[in-house]
Amino acid sequence: MEECERRERILDAASEVLQQCGYHAASMDKVAQHSAMSKRTLYQMFNSKQDLFHTLINTRLFNVTPDECHYRDNPAEELTELLMNLGRIILRPDRISLIRALITESQESADIRQILTSLRAGGKENVLTGWLDRYVRQHHYEVSDIYIYSNMLFGMTIGDMMLQSLACASGTAWIEQNMRPRFHKAARIFLAGFQQEHVDTASPGTS
């Protein structure tokens, strides 16, 4: 088995153990058992239990790499496709289950809170922020903190559907049916508002 395959199997097992047992009851022994790997193999790839779960949360929720986008001549379509690619990854049932477990565990576990805080603090280098940064540079807009806009866009698209999935246990079919029309409308509204804001900023004397 290749190292990357072993790594993914261990992360899958860690996610299962977290959801079944909670972080405090989770152990490297249980993860090894669920992954059908030896505990020695786990420690060869991860320094500690905290390191393992840090990697799990980072790779499954924060460090998401979607497929390459097209429509580079149409920003709204390109942004819609990027959001669709991200949504199909982040809104998968296994990812929603992991998010639900983390919400529960964050109330009880200082380790989980620390992991989430550290990843959040370093989470600015993501594909959505990268796309918006490139868009801003192409249009010569003056933006002091593009991350604020990235958060807004994520919240009104993927974040909104994530909350609905968590609260209402919406199925995969509902997500697939609603993603494109919602994301396409949100992308057009966001870009139009973003452009208008910077036109107004550039021309403060106009009404």
Side-chain angles (χ1 to χ4, degrees):
M1 189 183 299
E2 296 292 335
E3 181 175 341
C4 60
E5 186 178 350
R6 290 200 304 270
R7 180 184 179 88
E8 288 303 308
R9 181 178 290 188
I10 291 169
L11 293 176
D12 287 341
S15 180
E16 291 175 12
V17 170
L18 176 67
Q19 293 173 53
Q20 292 176 12
C21 307
Y23 183 79
H24 285 299
S27 66
M28 296 297 264
D29 285 318
K30 288 181 180 177
V31 174
Q33 182 180 2
H34 276 69
S35 64
M37 302 278 182
S38 69
K39 192 162 70 169
R40 179 181 178 182
T41 299
L42 265 65
Y43 278 110
Q44 287 175 343
M45 304 187 74
F46 304 97
N47 295 326
S48 63
K49 169 183 164 179
Q50 187 181 37
D51 180 38
L52 169 58
F53 283 93
H54 184 286
T55 303
L56 169 68
I57 297 168
N58 184 39
T59 57
R60 299 296 169 88
L61 298 181
F62 287 86
N63 187 20
V64 177
T65 304
D67 297 333
E68 182 181 357
C69 288
H70 307 290
Y71 305 110
R72 292 199 177 275
D73 294 332
N74 188 324
E77 291 294 339
E78 184 184 5
L79 182 55
T80 300
E81 186 179 14
L82 174 58
L83 290 166
M84 287 291 296
N85 287 337
L86 285 172
R88 289 191 183 105
I89 297 171
I90 297 173
L91 298 173
R92 277 170 31 186
D94 61 311
R95 305 296 170 96
I96 293 295
S97 295
L98 177 57
I99 293 168
R100 187 175 287 112
L102 290 171
I103 292 172
T104 301
E105 287 299 309
S106 65
Q107 306 301 314
E108 305 292 335
S109 171
D111 267 4
I112 292 294
R113 289 197 299 272
Q114 181 182 354
I115 290 169
L116 290 171
T117 300
S118 67
L119 288 173
R120 177 67 174 173
K124 295 188 177 183
E125 298 301 325
N126 59 69
V127 291
L128 189 55
T129 304
W131 188 93
L132 288 175
D133 185 63
R134 177 168 58 84
Y135 177 81
V136 164
R137 293 176 184 275
Q138 286 177 343
H139 291 79
H140 306 290
Y141 294 145
E142 294 291 333
V143 178
S144 58
D145 189 356
I146 194 67
Y147 191 52
I148 294 174
Y149 294 94
S150 177
N151 271 345
M152 289 180 185
L153 181 58
F154 184 90
M156 66 191 290
T157 54
I158 298 169
D160 179 57
M161 296 196 77
M162 183 189 301
L163 286 175
Q164 293 189 51
S165 296
L166 289 168
C168 308
S170 301
T172 305
W174 178 87
I175 292 173
E176 284 290 341
Q177 181 180 358
N178 287 275
M179 261 203 302
R180 180 168 289 281
R182 288 190 179 208
F183 290 0
H184 187 246
K185 181 178 290 186
R188 288 188 290 109
I189 291 172
F190 178 85
L191 291 177
F194 193 85
Q195 182 181 25
Q196 186 60 50
E197 177 185 354
H198 289 86
V199 168
D200 291 343
T201 302
S203 306
T206 60
S207 55

